[in-house]
């Protein structure tokens, strides 16, 4: 289980809570289909990005985050 940041053209684009590599690969393939000329890479999230992802997951799911479920949020959808 890890927090992973997907970068689009070198900039943080999506924060993910990942249990299985296949979930992350599906997310990247979907993104590539939507923006075929963009370059997508992945890396372990920074502590700040990890907390932002956890906060977004809790806000969407309620008071308790499900640690066994894939979750992704676009950086542009985070409240500053």
């Amino acid at each position: 289980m890890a927090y992973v940041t997907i970068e689009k053209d070198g900039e943080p684009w999506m924060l993910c809570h990942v249990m299985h590599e296949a979930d992350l690969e599906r997310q990247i393939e979907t993104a590539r289909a939507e923006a075929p000329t963009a370059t997508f890479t992945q890396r372990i999230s920074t502590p700040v990005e990890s907390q932002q992802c956890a906060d977004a997951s809790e806000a969407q799911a309620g008071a308790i985050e499900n640690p066994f479920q894939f979750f992704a949020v676009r950086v542009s959808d985070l409240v500053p």
Side-chain angles (χ1 to χ4, degrees):
M1 167 174 61
Y3 288 101
V4 177
T5 298
I6 299 173
E7 293 185 340
K8 179 180 178 183
D9 294 329
E11 295 294 324
W13 176 69
M14 185 168 280
L15 305 179
C16 305
H17 177 256
V18 179
M19 288 297 299
H20 305 284
E21 184 71 23
D23 292 332
L24 185 60
E25 289 302 319
R26 271 193 299 278
Q27 191 68 42
I28 291 172
E29 288 305 315
T30 299
R32 285 185 179 133
E34 293 175 9
T37 60
T39 300
F40 293 92
T41 56
Q42 66 187 36
R43 62 174 170 77
I44 298 297
S45 296
T46 66
V48 170
E49 292 168 335
S50 296
Q51 188 60 54
Q52 289 174 323
C53 186
D55 291 346
S57 177
E58 288 176 8
Q60 181 176 343
I64 301 172
E65 174 186 5
N66 182 346
F68 302 106
Q69 183 176 5
F70 177 79
F71 176 79
V73 61
R74 288 185 186 211
V75 172
S76 61
D77 291 341
L78 296 173
V79 177

